[in-house]
């Protein structure tokens, strides 16, 4: 089974629809716009662009789309990135990965107060991994926040690599929330 994201903390940043790629073709007169589905940056600095499709036929059936994907792959290769096409045919379970990534990424700009960040660091230090529900309750208690706001703060902590959760599995109250390790450098809050 091929994995898009990794359950461990080797994934430093995971973004849904991270950018728009403009590709000039036919002497620069025609422009193709390509919006990749996902991007992941690993702790070692490697960046991978990921296109998610239900099947390979989805690409092969549309010659214009296949052309755009081929051109995008060449552009990414030229700048040292990899474009990987992942399909359900590859035995990849797209759901819940993509919805989890989109949900967490939607809260990336939630304000993380100093109390919430320090409390989570202390909790990780004392307990290691904690349940998702406990992480939300801990953040809510530290900042005097309602539960839905605390969930957004937790998502922002995940986006800043101050907390980690396996987004390849359905996120439940019992899902483990961990402190990501920084490889090759001392861990410090983002």
């Amino acid at each position: 089974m091929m994995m898009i994201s990794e359950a461990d903390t080797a994934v430093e940043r995971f973004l849904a629809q991270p950018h728009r790629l403009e590709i000039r073709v036919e002497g620069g007169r025609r422009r193709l716009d390509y919006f990749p589905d996902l991007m992941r940056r690993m702790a070692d600095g490697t960046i991978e662009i990921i296109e998610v499709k239900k099947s390979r036929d989805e690409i092969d059936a549309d010659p214009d789309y296949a052309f755009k994907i081929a051109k995008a792959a060449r552009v990414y290769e030229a700048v040292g990135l990899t474009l990987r096409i992942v399909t359900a045919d590859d035995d990849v379970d797209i759901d819940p990965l993509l919805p989890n990534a989109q949900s967490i990424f939607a809260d990336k700009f939630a304000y993380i107060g100093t109390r919430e960040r320090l409390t989570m660091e202390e909790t990780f230090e004392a307990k290691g991994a904690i349940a998702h529900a406990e992480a939300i309750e801990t953040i809510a208690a530290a900042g005097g926040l309602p539960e839905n706001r605390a969930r957004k703060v937790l998502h922002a902590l995940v986006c800043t690599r101050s907390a980690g959760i396996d987004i390849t599995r359905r996120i439940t109250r019992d899902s483990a929330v961990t402190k990501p390790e920084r490889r090759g450098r001392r861990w410090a809050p983002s």
Side-chain angles (χ1 to χ4, degrees):
M1 175 184 253
M2 183 186 296
M3 297 297 291
I4 295 177
S5 181
E6 301 190 11
D8 68 19
T9 57
V11 177
E12 190 170 87
R13 173 109 40 229
F14 196 91
L15 303 174
Q17 292 192 320
H19 58 262
R20 180 181 77 198
L21 178 65
E22 291 181 9
I23 306 167
R24 301 270 180 208
V25 292
E26 296 177 13
R29 293 183 311 204
R30 185 171 151 220
R31 185 182 89 194
L32 301 173
D33 290 329
Y34 172 64
F35 297 87
D37 291 322
L38 305 166
M39 179 187 82
R40 70 178 189 168
R41 184 176 69 210
M42 308 303 285
D44 67 3
T46 306
I47 296 176
E48 183 176 49
I49 307 299
I50 301 168
E51 183 67 19
V52 180
K53 294 296 172 203
K54 291 179 184 168
S55 73
R56 187 74 199 181
D57 295 339
E58 205 174 340
I59 296 170
D60 297 338
D62 184 349
D64 291 335
Y65 186 70
F67 176 78
K68 183 189 321 189
I69 291 290
K71 290 292 186 187
R74 289 184 61 206
V75 170
Y76 289 128
E77 182 181 346
V79 296
L81 305 178
T82 302
L83 174 64
R84 182 163 50 139
I85 299 168
V86 179
T87 68
D89 296 342
D90 298 326
D91 293 327
V92 173
D93 192 4
I94 295 170
D95 188 39
L97 176 67
L98 187 56
N100 284 344
Q102 290 172 326
S103 173
I104 289 170
F105 182 69
D107 297 328
K108 73 177 184 172
F109 294 121
Y111 176 74
I112 305 167
T114 303
R115 276 182 286 186
E116 294 88 359
R117 184 181 303 276
L118 291 176
T119 299
M120 285 303 293
E121 287 180 31
E122 290 169 359
T123 302
F124 289 140
E125 191 67 35
K127 298 181 177 183
I130 61 173
H132 186 260
E134 183 181 352
I136 292 169
E137 290 166 5
T138 300
I139 291 167
L145 304 173
E147 187 175 301
N148 67 336
R149 173 77 176 101
R151 180 177 290 106
K152 292 176 185 298
V153 172
L154 176 58
H155 289 173
L157 286 166
V158 170
C159 289
T160 61
R161 269 187 64 72
S162 298
I165 192 163
D166 181 359
I167 65 170
T168 65
R169 290 180 167 70
R170 187 172 159 269
I171 297 174
T172 67
R173 294 181 48 80
D174 298 324
S175 297
V177 177
T178 60
K179 173 182 169 181
E181 292 179 26
R182 299 287 178 149
R183 296 179 184 193
R185 55 188 180 233
R186 187 178 155 271
W187 188 86
S190 298

